[in-house]
Structure formats: structure tokens, C-alpha cells
Amino acid sequence: MRSSTIKSSSSAFVLLLITCVLGATRALAQEANLNSISSVNVRGGTVEIVGTKKPNFTTFTLTDPPRLVIDISEAVFSGVKEDITVGNGTITAIRTASYGSDESAIARVLIGYEREVDTDIQARGNSLVVSVAGGTAAQAAAPTGPAPTADAAPAATGTDARQAGAAAQEAQEEQKRQAAAAAQAARDAQEERKRQEAAAAQAAQQEQADAEEQRQAEARAAAERKAQEERTAQAAAKQRQQDEARAAADARRESEAQAAESKRRQAAEDRARRESEAQAAAEDRRRQQEEAREARAARVAQAETPRREPARQEGPPSVSSRRKTMTLVGFKQERGASRVFVRTNEPVRYSVTPAGDRLVVLELENTLIAEENNTRAMDTSFFNTAVASVDANPGPSRTVRVSIRLKQQVPYETRQEGNELSIEFQRPASR
């Protein structure tokens, strides 16, 4: 009976101490996007903690008296009591407390036990189940009963008075011994109470020491996190500086490369301009020489063949002085005629000259050929046409000469419409 009384006093004192420690740190956390703990249920040696999300938790144990502490991160309590008295022989009580706010919110559940136990902690969906192995500790009860009393002395006879007096004396001595035993039991109980109170005080000191150690550990962890964050921030700042320096160097190199490329292009353009001017001068000389040769050849041809048709200068009365470009030379069969046509980027001055019985030359002034493919000769001899072939090539004095060779001499007509110049040859008479 004395052991049960002392144990109850110790448990009540420890529970009161735990309530004071945990109750001072309770705080309400914002519940948006947090795990809301709605209930803490006890069934025998099993505790079920029910929330709205899968729990993310850590645990540690304390002794004297035995306790299990569960910290659920990013969680708050909703409608759960701070103190839950159990006393089912295995679990003494349950205490709850909240720390921090927002993403740093922690919901703490402290489970007190009657004795040291093994626990099994499992997360099942949104619940955390803490199971305890073993049953309730048996409590030894000291047998109690009334103190023995002295049996009544046999009645003394008138003839045995001495024996009656001796029995009475022995009864008095027995009563004294029982009184002395009761006093010793009272002193022993007082000493036991003192020892229990000392043990409870030591347990409280140990609890405070454990709490202080926990606080120091948390402070060290917080300092380490802060130092790590500072190191990370410094590394990030250093990396940013390096990236900015590399970007500036890249931009500087790009600018220098662009300047060098611009200079190179300018030099190439200057060189091309000089070469173009030199080529133009050479072409002018060649043109003058070619014109002189053609003039001599024309005079000789006129002298030899006085019936030859003279050259015809045609085209719009006025055209721009820009250099023109021949973009296409083609051949097309039409009803009753065959058409040779050329296209330029703008109207040009031209001349059509018969150069013999079966050769007609179309010359485009101040013109160049845009693509090399347009210099390929076209063989039209297999068509039912008077045209045998068409061949375009650069001519003298910045001209383009289109030579049209005929199968037989036939009349032809020249026409210019916009940027297209065409010569239509009549189809030869069938033999």
C-alpha cells in the first residue's frame, strides 16, 4: 500500500511538471497548407494520431518517468486537448504542444508510460499509430489487517493468583512491543517518503537538464543552419560575380569580333569596289576594242553583202543608267510562231542584228546575267520551228548577247512589254 501511494505521488508530480513545461510553449500556427491534427485516440496500449496529410515526423525518448516524444513537422492541432488523462495501466497521460508557424510549424505529442516499454511507430495513410508491446504492470499490494490483540487471560482462580498476574504482565509487554513496531513502521514510511520526494526532485532536475540539452541542441542546429545558409549565400554571390564577369568578357569579345568582322567586310567591300572599277575600266577598253572590230567587220560585211539587213536599235526612248540584270531566257511554241523571250529586272535598251542568213543576235545594253544556269545553250532543233538553238552569254562593253540560230531564214517581230523582251519567228512552211 505504501509503494502504490508513493508511485501515485511521483506520477502526479511529474505530470504536473510536464504540463508546466509544455503548456508555456503552446502557440497557434496558421493552418493553410499544413497537416491539421484533428484527434489523438487511445485504445489500450495503442495511440492513433489522425491528421489531414501523411505525417512527416521524428521521435525521441525520455526516462524517469519513461516518455515518448513525437514531433510532426508542418502540422498544427485542431480541436485536440492539451492534457489527456489515460491511466489505463500502460499509458499515464498524453500532452500536446505546438511550436513555430507556417512551414516551420511543429505539432508535438508526448506520451507518458507507467514503465519502460518497446514501441512500434507506423504511418498509415494520414494517421500515425504508436503500438506498445506488453500489458499493464502488476502492482504489488502489501497485505494489511488489524494488529493482533492479546488473548484474554484465563480467569484466575482464587488458588492461582500468581499465574494470572504473570499473564497480565506478559500482555502489557506484548502491547509495548507492538507499539514500538508501529512507531518504527511510521519512521520507515517517513524515510521512504523522503527518498521518493528526493527521487522526484532528481527526476525534475533531470527533466530540466534534458530540456536544456534539447534547447541547446536545437540552438546549435539553428546556428549551423544559419551558418550553412550564409555559406550558401556567399557561394551564390561569388558564382553570380563570376557569371557576370564571364558574361562581360563574352560581350567584350563579341563586340571586338563584330568590330573586326565589320572592318574585314569594309576592307572586302573596298577591295571589291576597286576590283569592280578596274574590271569596268577593262570592260570599257574591251568594249571600245570590240566596237572598233565590229565596226570594221560591219564595213567589210556591208561591202561584201550589200543586201544584208542593217542592225536595228530598239527599246524605250529613255531608261535608267543602273546596271540591269537578265533573270531568265526561254523558248515557247505558239500557234503559227515560235517565241524566244528574255526577262530583266527593269526595261533595257536593246538591239536586234541579223548576222548572216541563219543567225540573229539580240544584245541587251548595260546588263549582266543573274545566274550561270541562264548561260546554258537551249537546243530547239527537234521542235517544228525555225529556231535551232538559243545561247546567251556576256557580251562586250557590259552587254548580254543572245545568239539565235535558225534552221532557215524566216520573218520575225520584236516586242518589249515591261520587263519582258520577246522575238517571234514565223513557223516555216511545211515541205
Side-chain angles (χ1 to χ4, degrees), residues 177-231:
R177 285 194 297 272
Q178 290 180 0
Q184 184 63 39
R187 287 193 297 272
D188 292 342
Q190 186 176 6
E191 292 294 331
E192 183 64 23
R193 281 195 301 273
K194 291 180 180 180
R195 284 194 297 270
Q196 290 292 336
E197 291 173 356
Q202 185 178 1
Q205 293 176 356
Q206 184 63 38
E207 176 70 19
Q208 293 176 353
D210 292 342
E212 180 63 24
E213 183 179 357
Q214 180 67 21
R215 285 193 296 271
Q216 291 178 0
E218 292 175 353
R220 287 193 298 271
E224 179 62 26
R225 285 194 300 271
K226 184 177 180 181
Q228 181 62 34
E229 291 173 355
E230 291 177 352
R231 289 192 295 269

Side-chain angles (χ1 to χ4, degrees), residues 287-308:
R287 179 177 59 78
Q288 293 173 2
Q289 294 172 359
E290 184 68 22
E291 288 176 351
R293 284 195 299 271
E294 288 178 353
R296 288 194 297 271
R299 288 194 296 270
V300 172
Q302 186 176 6
E304 293 177 351
T305 57
R307 291 179 299 175
R308 179 175 297 175

Side-chain angles (χ1 to χ4, degrees), residues 67-389:
R67 287 146 295 161
L68 173 65
V69 180
I70 304 171
D71 285 343
I72 305 173
S73 61
E74 297 183 14
V76 294
F77 290 104
S78 177
V80 179
K81 295 181 178 179
E82 295 181 4
D83 300 324
I84 303 174
T85 304
V86 181
N88 59 5
T90 301
I91 300 173
T92 58
I94 297 176
R95 301 289 180 268
T96 64
S98 297
Y99 302 91
S101 62
D102 298 335
E103 289 78 5
S104 61
I106 296 176
R108 172 171 290 184
V109 179
L110 185 146
I111 305 174
Y113 294 100
E114 291 283 356
R115 66 185 190 284
E116 297 288 342
V117 295
D118 294 330
T119 57
D120 179 27
I121 306 173
Q122 295 183 3
R124 299 175 183 174
N126 295 343
S127 299
L128 190 63
V129 180
V130 183
S131 302
V132 177
T136 307
Q139 298 180 355
T144 59
T149 58
D151 295 337
T157 61
T159 59
D160 202 2
R162 274 188 316 189
Q163 293 180 356
Q169 187 177 0
E170 289 178 1
Q172 291 177 356
E173 291 177 356
E174 181 64 24
Q175 289 177 353
K176 291 179 180 180
R177 285 194 297 272
Q178 290 180 0
Q184 184 63 39
R187 287 193 297 272
D188 292 342
Q190 186 176 6
E191 292 294 331
E192 183 64 23
R193 281 195 301 273
K194 291 180 180 180
R195 284 194 297 270
Q196 290 292 336
E197 291 173 356
Q202 185 178 1
Q205 293 176 356
Q206 184 63 38
E207 176 70 19
Q208 293 176 353
D210 292 342
E212 180 63 24
E213 183 179 357
Q214 180 67 21
R215 285 193 296 271
Q216 291 178 0
E218 292 175 353
R220 287 193 298 271
E224 179 62 26
R225 285 194 300 271
K226 184 177 180 181
Q228 181 62 34
E229 291 173 355
E230 291 177 352
R231 289 192 295 269
T232 302
Q234 291 175 357
K238 184 177 180 180
Q239 184 64 37
R240 283 195 302 273
Q241 293 176 355
Q242 293 175 352
D243 292 342
E244 291 174 355
R246 281 195 295 270
D250 293 342
R252 186 168 56 254
R253 286 193 294 271
E254 180 67 19
S255 177
E256 293 173 352
Q258 290 178 355
E261 178 64 19
S262 177
K263 186 177 180 180
R264 185 191 65 77
R265 284 198 302 268
Q266 184 63 38
E269 291 175 357
D270 293 341
R271 187 167 52 254
R273 185 175 60 256
R274 290 192 297 270
E275 292 175 354
S276 177
E277 292 174 352
Q279 184 178 3
E283 288 181 355
D284 287 340
R285 289 193 296 272
R286 285 195 300 271
R287 179 177 59 78
Q288 293 173 2
Q289 294 172 359
E290 184 68 22
E291 288 176 351
R293 284 195 299 271
E294 288 178 353
R296 288 194 297 271
R299 288 194 296 270
V300 172
Q302 186 176 6
E304 293 177 351
T305 57
R307 291 179 299 175
R308 179 175 297 175
E309 185 178 351
R312 292 181 295 169
Q313 295 292 331
E314 302 180 11
S318 62
V319 296
S320 69
S321 61
R322 292 187 297 272
R323 188 79 179 269
K324 290 38 170 213
T325 302
M326 189 190 77
T327 59
L328 178 65
V329 57
F331 172 81
K332 185 177 181 181
Q333 280 279 61
E334 296 182 347
R335 177 178 297 180
S338 301
R339 186 163 64 94
V340 177
F341 62 92
V342 295
R343 292 175 184 167
T344 56
N345 63 332
E346 59 180 275
V348 299
R349 289 190 59 82
Y350 66 92
S351 65
V352 180
T353 305
D357 293 338
R358 297 186 179 182
L359 182 62
V360 176
V361 177
L362 169 64
E363 189 170 54
L364 308 178
E365 296 182 4
N366 194 25
T367 306
L368 56 84
I369 299 176
E371 298 181 1
E372 185 179 355
N373 186 55
N374 288 328
T375 63
R376 295 182 179 179
M378 290 186 292
D379 183 6
T380 61
S381 60
F382 48 86
F383 291 107
N384 182 19
T385 175
V387 180
S389 65

Side-chain angles (χ1 to χ4, degrees), residues 26 28 31 35-40 50 52 75-81 98 107:
R26 173 173 295 274
L28 295 177
E31 298 183 359
N35 186 359
S36 179
I37 308 301
S38 59
S39 64
V40 178
V50 181
T52 58
V76 294
F77 290 104
S78 177
V80 179
K81 295 181 178 179
S98 297

